[in-house]
């Protein structure tokens, strides 16, 4: 069975209560539950990791090929905007990574407009709330089906 890793960066554990006017009231458990259900329906196993620590996310990215993940869906949260370590980890692995954001980072403060990881990911989906993750998952489902056709 194909498996994917869903990685959530700092402060995303607070979804539901964190700045709800920006991030909504959906919790991280809700998001993971929706992803798990759709992945299961498509015959894909999904693992989840949230960390507030850059090195933990770097380790998870480095381990993704060894653990046999076909794709990584990554919301690097604030690290998106400045973590060269996370960018380098993505560049170092062959596993395709899809960058997601709940909010439309391009409509927000200037410092959020730039993503240091965008040049090394497959693509970016931003601005659709929890549906950013669901859209990324649909891409994964289609790519995996295409690879088998
Ligand atoms: C975020 C956007 C980032 O700028 C911010 O630091 C986050 C969440 C999003 O999902 O919209 O923590 O990645």
């Amino acid at each position: 069975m194909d498996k994917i890793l869903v990685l959530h960066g700092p402060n995303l554990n607070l979804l539901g209560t964190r700045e709800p006017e920006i991030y909504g009231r959906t919790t991280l458990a809700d998001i993971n539950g929706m992803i798990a259900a759709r992945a299961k329906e498509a015959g894909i196993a999904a693992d989840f990791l949230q960390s507030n620590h850059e090195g933990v996310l770097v380790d998870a990215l480095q381990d993704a090929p060894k653990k046999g993940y076909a794709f990584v869906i990554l919301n690097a949260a604030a690290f998106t905007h400045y973590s060269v370590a996370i960018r380098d980890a993505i560049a170092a692995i062959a596993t395709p990574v899809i960058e997601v954001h709940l909010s439309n980072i391009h409509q927000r403060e200037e410092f959020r407009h730039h993503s240091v990881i965008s040049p090394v990911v497959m693509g970016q989906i931003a601005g659709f709330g929890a549906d950013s993750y669901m859209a990324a998952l649909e891409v994964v489902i289609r790519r995996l089906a295409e690879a088998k056709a």
Side-chain angles (χ1 to χ4, degrees):
M1 190 191 262
D2 289 312
K3 56 178 193 167
I4 63 163
L5 176 64
V6 183
L7 271 183
H8 307 283
N11 301 307
L12 295 172
N13 53 313
L14 300 180
L15 287 177
T17 55
R18 173 194 183 199
E19 300 181 272
E21 63 291 353
I22 296 172
Y23 298 113
R25 298 231 173 248
T26 309
T27 66
L28 194 61
D30 294 335
I31 292 174
N32 288 346
M34 288 189 278
I35 295 170
R38 176 68 184 121
K40 191 176 173 196
E41 193 178 74
I44 297 167
D47 290 338
F48 301 90
L49 177 69
Q50 187 277 328
S51 181
N52 295 324
H53 305 279
E54 189 178 24
V56 172
L57 298 169
V58 169
D59 286 344
L61 287 162
Q62 287 187 12
D63 287 346
K66 294 177 229 160
K67 292 192 173 163
Y69 291 113
F71 282 88
V72 177
I73 295 175
L74 168 67
N75 185 347
F79 289 139
T80 304
H81 312 298
Y82 68 92
S83 176
V84 176
I86 289 177
R87 175 198 165 115
D88 286 352
I90 297 167
I93 59 171
T95 314
V97 176
I98 303 178
E99 173 184 358
V100 300
H101 301 284
L102 297 150
S103 62
N104 184 342
I105 55 174
H106 306 286
Q107 285 175 344
R108 298 182 62 196
E109 304 94 321
E110 188 82 36
F111 69 89
R112 294 186 204 274
H113 296 181
H114 184 64
S115 163
V116 299
I117 68 171
S118 279
V120 292
V121 299
M122 200 178 165
Q124 182 199 73
I125 302 170
F128 300 98
D131 283 340
S132 294
Y133 289 90
M134 301 314 287
L137 180 57
E138 292 308 316
V139 172
V140 169
I141 292 167
R142 292 173 70 102
R143 290 292 182 275
L144 289 174
E146 280 164 16
K148 288 190 182 77

